[in-house]
Amino acid sequence: MLIFLVMLLVLPPHTTCKAHIVKCHVHDPHPPLHKYHKSGDLILGGIASHSYIISNALAFAEDPPQVLPEELVVVTKNYQHVLALAFAVKEINGNPQMLPNTTLGFHIFDSYFIARGTYHATLLLTSSPDRFVPNYKCDTQNDLIGVIGGLDPLTSLYAATVLDIYKIPQLTYGLAPIMHDKTPGLSFYQMVPQEALQYEGILSLLLHFKWIWIGLFTMELENGEQFVQTVVPMFSSSGICFAFIERIPKVSFITELKDMIQECVKIRDKIMGSKANVMVLYGESYSMIFLRWFPYLSEEEEIGEDARGKVWIMTAQMELTSAVFQKTWDTQIIHGALLFTIHSNALPEFHKFLEHISPSTTDGDFFIKDFWQQAFACVFPSTVTDVMDQEICTGEENLEMLPTPFFEMSMTGHSYCIYNAVYAMAHALHVMFSSRINSRLLEDNMKLTSQVYQLWQFHHFLRGVSFNNSVGDKVSFNQKGELEAGLDIINWIALQNQSFHKVKVGRMDPQTSSGKMFTIHEDAITWHKWFNQARPISVCSKKCIPGSSKKMKEGKPFCCYDCIPCPEGKISDQKDMIDCATCSDQTYPNKNHNFCIPKEISFLSFEEPVGLSLAFSALSGSLVTILVLFTFMKNHNTPIVKANNRQLTYTLLLSLLLCFLSALLFIGQPQMVTCLLRQTAFGIVFSVAVSCVLAKTLTVVLAFMATKPGSRMRKWVGKRLANSIVLSCSLIQGGICIVWLVISPPLPEADVHSMAEEIILGCNEGTVIMFYCVLGYIGFLAIASFTLAFLARKLPDTFNEAKFITFSMLVFCSVWLSFVPTYLSTKGKYMVAVEIFSILASSAGLLVCIFSPKCYIILLKPELNKREQLIRRTN
């Protein structure tokens, strides 16, 4: 090989020897085992991936030996690639409109999936027929215009190192290799859609079925590593994470087979032990042969229909192929797999073409013999073999009887690409021959071959080619030299005879008019038997139900998590929520914390039992107060009414009446007016009431002191003092209330925070300090009254109202002292109820304690309500 490369560099391009001076007798020391030649005016080159050579490593100490038959493993399905090229050339030559007066021929060689085989095949294509002298032409019979191949990226890359020298276009029917030191698309015309389309298709498929926990497999090659580096961040950003990422080692020599098997055993056990039910496999065309090994690499689980099933998602580079030794192997491992394939349409004429293929009818085809022997497990009589009991090949065997993994009568995706590649070259030639430049060349009677040698011109026409093939599919290249086409999604269904049925279940079409690039028909998919035809689930953790949220597991991928209940006050109304959400101010979580319930509007209304009871109590107290007032007014001239300062008594009763009625301001939906009035009205009327009690107490004390001889207190005894006390104390409270209303007046508000399940309509008191100032001032007056009454409790009975006042103030103070802690510990509308109760209780306490003894005498003991009785009691 080194000699050949040196010759490439030393010899000038297209050096030609003249037959009468030099005769070329340099032959290939190892002529190719597989080739297919058909002569023509213009030659298409083909690099097929037809066979493996499994041999020991070369030491380069001696000439490499010829390949032995037992070292050759034919990928029988790939023989269709050779036939697809031959079929396309035959169609073109039979069409007088395509290349008139020009016949296409082809030279096809096998790459054997190795660099040595690829370089050998490429040099053979650039050499004269039967004279292996690269770059040295002894005739003009090899007018190579382009090369179709190879199937795998590395095959295309190896071929490009030679073809780039001559600017010979290469149309690949597999993925283009990674070009580090070359301009992408310079010499490659990729007959498959751009690879990014597969990435988007796989992602769309995973998201459609909600498969977020997957395993990822690639071959240990540069394209596989690029696939990993591209899809891992792409998939992760869409919520998909990886149970594992494994790289399947590539075997180049038979000595590496043992290490590969040991590595595959670990991978296989990891697959079967994983909770991930979906495996994405990015491989080369031969990867399926390795995948078929998996069921036989471990004894931990029995092989058969009960083995754990997986959903295999495969890329377009892969094909359903099997080696001859795998003919009887179990096929259930890939039953139900989903494959992104190159879009193809059925060619009925190709099926007819295959029906006539046999070793006896194919001239110049050196591929067919090994294909036939390995596909049908027979040998031709001329073949020397140590195995004597093998069947003899007749050549009449039926290709249609072969299982799908070994050969297909319908055109596969890669064969369809080859078919389109041949037509692309033919259309480019047709346009080039029809151009003005070539018209002038024809007028000068120049040879046809001189046109073709201008390969830089051919690139121009090839890049701009655009046509519809025989089944109506458009063939054209984008600016990167990639075919503008879509992908089909195929479901593989294993049959009993080791064959497979392929069902189209979806499409990835970037040129669709609907704008929906990805489509899938889930009902048409057949899953692996292990799933019992239910949609497979592939998640690391079960979905968190509404009412819970995800908690990530430390050291695990983000798809693996625990589910924890939502805390109080929060909900999750969807599955797999990252965090629980807080309900709005108008709603609250239900018991299961999976949705928000609208809060009820709450306020102390007249319709509910508590509000109705308090309103009834307030009205009852008011009625009783009115009756007492009416009683006193009716008996205003009686001694007991006169003795208790009638005017002060009436003021006290009126203020108590207003106290009872002020409680009604606290019941009902709060409004601006009620919020402004209720606390201030309560504070003022209670101040009046307590001021009256204080005035009555002080009047009693001063009256007793004034009766003493020589007392100076007589001038203080009278109505003026009592009125002054009531008016001044009331004005002070009024001033406090005015300041409160000016600084921060009470306003209606909706309290959404105090109660979880209710929106409490109430009054914002504006400033709590002023509220407690009002209460504190009433308390101060009450304590002063209580103190004076307590000190005057032993005065003579005739003048003594102090005992009743003492007891009434004791009740009053007890009620309001208990009000403060109760009010602070109560929430919602019951805070209002507590205040109303305190108002009613303290008002009733004053009414009962002060006026019930007097009413008793007036109504029930009128005989005691006489001046004589009062004087007599005094004596």
Side-chain angles (χ1 to χ4, degrees):
M1 186 64 65
L2 182 61
I3 295 173
F4 299 149
L5 293 175
V6 171
M7 292 175 70
L8 277 172
L9 298 174
V10 173
L11 293 174
H14 304 309
T15 302
T16 306
C17 69
K18 294 185 179 179
H20 65 278
I21 298 177
V22 179
K23 245 182 144 142
C24 299
H25 294 291
V26 181
H27 296 279
D28 187 354
H30 294 296
L33 295 176
H34 301 122
K35 62 181 180 179
Y36 192 177
H37 285 189
K38 184 175 179 60
S39 61
D41 298 322
L42 302 174
I43 299 298
L44 296 179
I47 299 178
S49 298
H50 180 256
S51 309
Y52 288 102
I53 297 177
I54 302 178
S55 61
N56 293 315
L58 298 176
F60 296 99
E62 56 183 4
D63 290 340
Q66 185 73 359
V67 176
L68 299 175
E70 57 268 19
E71 295 178 333
L72 199 67
V73 177
V74 176
V75 184
T76 57
K77 191 164 187 174
N78 290 359
Y79 178 57
Q80 194 194 85
H81 304 164
V82 176
L83 298 178
L85 194 152
F87 170 71
V89 170
K90 180 182 177 181
E91 271 196 343
I92 292 170
N93 288 335
N95 184 356
Q97 304 299 323
M98 182 64 71
L99 295 173
N101 302 320
T102 304
T103 302
L104 284 182
F106 56 81
H107 292 170
I108 307 174
F109 297 99
D110 197 351
S111 70
Y112 300 103
F113 292 93
I114 56 175
R116 181 181 62 168
T118 303
Y119 282 119
H120 191 189
T122 309
L123 291 172
L124 286 169
L125 289 172
T126 56
S127 303
S128 299
D130 301 322
R131 292 170 178 82
F132 190 57
V133 183
N135 208 38
Y136 194 88
K137 286 188 174 296
C138 292
D139 49 43
T140 58
Q141 299 176 8
N142 188 9
D143 297 321
L144 185 67
I145 61 169
V147 174
I148 298 175
L151 177 58
D152 299 319
L154 287 180
T155 302
S156 303
L157 183 61
Y158 299 149
T161 59
V162 177
L163 298 177
D164 279 358
I165 297 173
Y166 303 101
K167 305 304 179 190
I168 297 175
Q170 182 182 180
L171 283 76
T172 67
Y173 56 99
L175 296 176
I178 299 173
M179 305 291 288
H180 293 293
D181 55 349
K182 297 180 182 294
T183 303
L186 179 63
S187 61
F188 292 107
Y189 296 87
Q190 194 172 333
M191 299 306 299
V192 298
Q194 55 182 325
E195 196 168 5
L197 189 64
Q198 294 192 64
Y199 304 160
E200 295 177 18
I202 295 172
L203 177 60
S204 299
L205 188 68
L206 295 173
L207 294 177
H208 174 81
F209 289 106
K210 298 180 176 61
W211 293 331
I212 61 172
W213 182 238
I214 65 172
L216 187 63
F217 294 89
T218 66
M219 297 297 295
E220 209 169 50
L221 297 170
E222 195 169 15
N223 280 69
E225 193 59 35
Q226 178 181 263
F227 173 76
V228 172
Q229 294 177 3
T230 303
V231 303
V232 167
M234 178 181 176
F235 289 8
S236 298
S237 63
S238 297
I240 296 169
C241 49
F242 302 89
F244 46 81
I245 300 175
E246 292 293 339
R247 294 162 178 83
I248 303 172
K250 182 181 179 182
V251 177
S252 300
F253 303 103
I254 195 169
T255 52
E256 300 171 347
L257 187 60
K258 183 178 179 181
D259 294 336
M260 186 275 289
I261 292 176
Q262 290 177 348
E263 185 67 24
C264 287
V265 168
K266 298 177 183 177
I267 295 174
R268 189 266 177 194
D269 291 340
K270 183 176 289 187
I271 292 172
M272 293 306 171
S274 173
K275 292 168 61 179
N277 288 325
V278 176
M279 306 292 153
V280 176
L281 178 56
Y282 179 92
E284 303 300 339
S285 59
Y286 50 80
S287 302
M288 185 57 61
I289 295 176
F290 293 107
L291 184 60
R292 295 286 302 279
W293 275 93
F294 272 30
Y296 301 92
L297 294 178
S298 177
E299 297 180 356
E300 292 184 6
E301 297 183 27
E302 296 182 1
I303 305 302
E305 294 185 1
D306 294 334
R308 182 183 180 90
K310 301 290 181 182
V311 178
W312 292 93
I313 300 176
M314 304 179 193
T315 53
Q317 187 69 1
M318 299 187 64
E319 262 293 351
L320 183 53
T321 57
S322 292
V324 63
F325 58 85
Q326 296 174 317
K327 185 170 274 189
T328 60
W329 285 17
D330 179 71
T331 57
Q332 288 300 310
I333 185 173
I334 48 178
H335 176 65
L338 297 172
L339 175 70
F340 284 82
T341 63
I342 303 159
H343 172 68
S344 62
N345 272 322
L347 295 171
E349 294 300 321
F350 182 66
H351 191 282
K352 295 177 182 179
F353 174 78
L354 294 181
E355 290 175 349
H356 297 91
I357 295 296
S358 70
S360 60
T361 60
T362 309
D363 296 329
D365 185 358
F366 288 84
F367 287 91
I368 194 169
K369 181 179 178 181
D370 284 327
F371 160 76
W372 209 269
Q373 290 184 141
Q374 295 206 18
F376 292 103
C378 63
V379 294
F380 288 100
S382 60
T383 304
V384 178
T385 177
D386 296 333
V387 183
M388 302 302 296
D389 58 348
Q390 285 186 299
E391 294 184 8
I392 300 300
C393 296
T394 65
E396 301 299 324
E397 288 83 2
N398 190 354
L399 288 176
E400 294 190 57
M401 300 303 295
L402 291 174
T404 308
F406 294 90
F407 195 79
E408 286 190 54
M409 296 298 288
S410 59
M411 187 173 277
T412 64
H414 288 120
S415 295
Y416 194 68
C417 290
I418 295 171
Y419 176 82
N420 286 332
V422 176
Y423 267 91
M425 285 210 215
H427 277 275
L429 285 170
H430 179 79
V431 175
M432 187 172 73
F433 292 164
S434 302
S435 65
R436 294 180 179 178
I437 297 175
N438 290 292
S439 297
R440 288 197 297 270
L441 292 175
L442 289 172
E443 290 174 2
D444 295 338
N445 295 319
M446 295 186 69
K447 291 183 178 180
L448 179 65
T449 54
S450 66
Q451 305 170 38
V452 180
Y453 283 143
Q454 307 302 319
L455 292 175
W456 58 270
Q457 294 181 0
F458 187 48
H459 274 285
H460 168 74
F461 293 104
L462 191 56
R463 287 192 188 99
V465 74
S466 179
F467 63 94
N468 290 334
N469 64 14
S470 59
V471 289
D473 284 339
K474 184 179 179 180
V475 178
S476 62
F477 299 105
N478 61 19
Q479 294 180 350
K480 296 181 180 179
E482 299 167 327
L483 185 71
E484 293 183 328
L487 297 167
D488 293 333
I489 304 174
I490 300 298
N491 182 213
W492 283 345
I493 304 171
L495 304 177
Q496 295 299 323
N497 61 350
Q498 300 298 312
S499 188
F500 277 82
H501 179 52
K502 298 193 295 187
V503 178
K504 182 179 175 180
V505 296
R507 180 95 170 109
M508 193 69 186
D509 189 359
Q511 298 173 328
T512 179
S513 58
S514 65
K516 189 175 182 181
M517 189 164 56
F518 173 80
T519 56
I520 189 73
H521 307 291
E522 185 175 347
D523 295 339
I525 300 176
T526 299
W527 304 110
H528 191 281
K529 294 180 180 179
W530 191 80
F531 298 110
N532 197 24
Q533 202 47 35
R535 179 198 276 199
I537 298 173
S538 190
V539 294
C540 180
S541 301
K542 289 185 178 180
K543 289 184 176 294
C544 292
I545 61 173
S548 61
S549 63
K550 297 192 293 188
K551 180 183 179 183
M552 299 304 164
K553 293 182 178 180
E554 188 175 353
K556 297 289 185 180
F558 62 85
C559 292
C560 302
Y561 47 80
D562 294 320
C563 297
I564 57 173
C566 289
E568 287 298 323
K570 292 189 175 184
I571 62 105
S572 62
D573 56 357
Q574 298 177 9
K575 292 182 178 180
D576 272 353
M577 289 194 66
I578 297 175
D579 196 8
C580 297
T582 304
C583 289
S584 66
D585 290 342
Q586 286 75 34
T587 58
Y588 69 96
N590 67 331
K591 183 178 181 181
N592 295 326
H593 293 270
N594 54 11
F595 65 90
C596 294
I597 301 174
K599 290 183 178 180
E600 293 183 0
I601 303 298
S602 176
F603 58 90
L604 190 62
S605 67
F606 291 99
E607 289 79 13
E608 59 183 301
V610 176
L612 185 61
S613 300
L614 293 174
F616 178 76
S617 300
L619 293 175
S620 300
S622 301
L623 181 59
V624 171
T625 305
I626 293 173
L627 292 176
V628 172
L629 179 59
F630 178 75
T631 302
F632 269 66
M633 291 179 66
K634 185 178 179 181
N635 299 279
H636 69 283
N637 290 320
T638 59
I640 198 169
V641 175
K642 290 181 178 181
N644 284 279
N645 194 333
R646 286 179 296 184
Q647 186 176 354
L648 200 58
T649 299
Y650 296 156
T651 304
L652 176 58
L653 286 171
L654 287 174
S655 63
L656 287 177
L657 174 62
L658 294 176
C659 286
F660 281 115
L661 293 176
S662 68
L664 298 176
L665 294 174
F666 291 83
I667 304 175
Q669 184 172 347
Q671 303 294 335
M672 176 65 75
V673 175
T674 55
C675 285
L676 289 172
L677 290 180
R678 67 183 193 178
Q679 296 292 3
T680 53
F682 149 73
I684 293 173
V685 296
F686 256 83
S687 297
V688 173
V690 178
S691 299
C692 290
V693 174
L694 177 62
K696 287 175 70 67
T697 307
L698 190 59
T699 299
V700 170
V701 172
L702 291 177
F704 178 76
M705 296 177 65
T707 58
K708 293 182 180 180
S711 176
R712 298 179 181 179
M713 294 296 177
R714 290 184 180 181
K715 63 181 178 178
W716 296 104
V717 178
K719 296 179 181 180
R720 185 180 297 178
L721 175 63
N723 294 335
S724 300
I725 293 173
V726 172
L727 184 60
S728 59
C729 292
S730 300
L731 288 176
I732 293 173
Q733 184 72 292
I736 295 174
C737 291
I738 291 172
V739 172
W740 184 2
L741 294 177
V742 171
I743 295 176
S744 181
L747 298 172
E749 72 165 359
D751 184 1
V752 297
H753 302 293
S754 297
M755 301 291 287
E757 301 178 4
E758 296 177 352
I759 298 177
I760 302 169
L761 299 183
C763 292
N764 185 335
E765 305 301 350
T767 170
V768 179
I769 295 175
M770 296 306 295
F771 173 65
Y772 285 112
C773 285
V774 170
L775 290 181
Y777 182 71
I778 296 173
F780 167 74
L781 294 178
I783 291 172
S785 298
F786 173 75
T787 304
L788 287 175
F790 180 78
L791 294 175
R793 70 188 184 282
K794 295 182 178 181
L795 292 177
D797 291 343
T798 304
F799 302 100
N800 196 359
E801 200 176 10
K803 291 181 180 180
F804 304 126
I805 293 175
T806 301
F807 191 71
S808 66
M809 287 296 101
L810 182 61
V811 172
F812 185 91
C813 292
S814 299
V815 168
W816 286 104
L817 286 175
S818 62
F819 161 78
V820 174
T822 306
Y823 183 82
L824 295 176
S825 62
T826 309
K827 294 182 179 180
K829 60 186 177 182
Y830 295 105
M831 293 180 68
V832 180
V834 168
E835 187 171 358
I836 295 173
F837 177 81
S838 299
I839 292 172
L840 297 179
S842 57
S843 300
L846 291 177
L847 182 65
V848 172
C849 294
I850 295 176
F851 293 100
S852 59
K854 299 176 180 60
C855 290
Y856 174 78
I857 295 174
I858 294 172
L859 296 175
L860 299 179
K861 298 290 185 178
E863 65 276 9
L864 298 178
N865 191 10
K866 294 180 180 180
R867 179 177 177 82
E868 295 79 9
Q869 291 294 328
L870 292 175
I871 295 173
R872 186 177 62 84
R873 289 172 60 190
T874 304
N875 298 330

